[in-house]
Amino acid sequence: MTGKIKLDENDVLVVIDVQKDFCAGGSLAVQNADAIVAPINSLMSKFDNVVISQDWHPVGHKSFYTSHEDKNPFEVTTMPYGEQILWPEHCIAGTTGADFHSELDTSKAKAIIRKGTNTQIDSYSTFFENDRKTPTGMAGYLRQNGFKRIFLSGIATEYCVGFSATDGIEEGFDVYVITDATASFDNEDYEPMHKRWDECGVTKVTMDELSS
Ligand code: VGL
Ligand code: ZN
């Protein structure tokens, strides 16, 4: 993508899962996650509308390896809805690890959408849980506000940001991923996701291409 994108009042910045457990010292830390906090704060000042998502799991959530017998962290298992990576316990509702990064400015957020709240189903996308059917309410919120273009930032590029981008397209939004405002678990893992974005029509932009 080249050239400047002029932002207007129908554009929304979606800030995905910038929570303590995904940052340095957290139980499921993502490399460079801390480094995107200041850039995201500065992005917020360019947008009239900001929505934040928060990974918010009950104790004993089925995406935790500890909720299964004889499983290891990061092992893949089969759930009724398909394959599921088993994660270390993270973002348990009401715990410090589920809090937003202490430097994230949440004051501009008009809505906070929580996901992964159902014990039986994980949720990577901010739109649907991993059964691909149960909505989080994000699409309804965006649609009812008349938002058309959504700009995604946050954690993790190859999971939550990635699936939110492709689901956003399916839900009829124009989706932009602000690549320098996302952090990934693994630099190589996100290559397939970039390919999926290209196939689905997700636009990749950098922060300096956005002007308010
Ligand atoms: C996420 C793994 C587990 C994410 C959430 O937000 O990308 N990844 N839970
Ligand atoms: Zn999670």
Side-chain angles (χ1 to χ4, degrees), residues 85 157-159 184-194:
I85 301 176
T157 317
E158 67 273 51
Y159 294 106
S184 58
F185 282 102
D186 184 318
N187 280 337
E188 273 154 39
D189 272 4
Y190 72 47
E191 290 300 334
M193 189 49 87
H194 278 237

Side-chain angles (χ1 to χ4, degrees), residues 22 28 55-57 63-64 87 90-91 115 122-124:
F22 294 127
L28 185 50
D55 210 34
W56 196 255
H57 300 307
S63 76
F64 300 158
W87 306 101
H90 64 278
C91 298
K115 63 185 184 64
D122 203 6
S123 184
Y124 292 155

Side-chain angles (χ1 to χ4, degrees), residues 136-157:
T136 60
M138 178 68 93
Y141 175 81
L142 297 174
R143 222 171 266 133
Q144 285 197 310
N145 280 286
F147 299 141
K148 187 84 186 90
R149 294 196 297 187
I150 61 172
F151 292 78
L152 308 186
S153 63
I155 309 167
T157 317

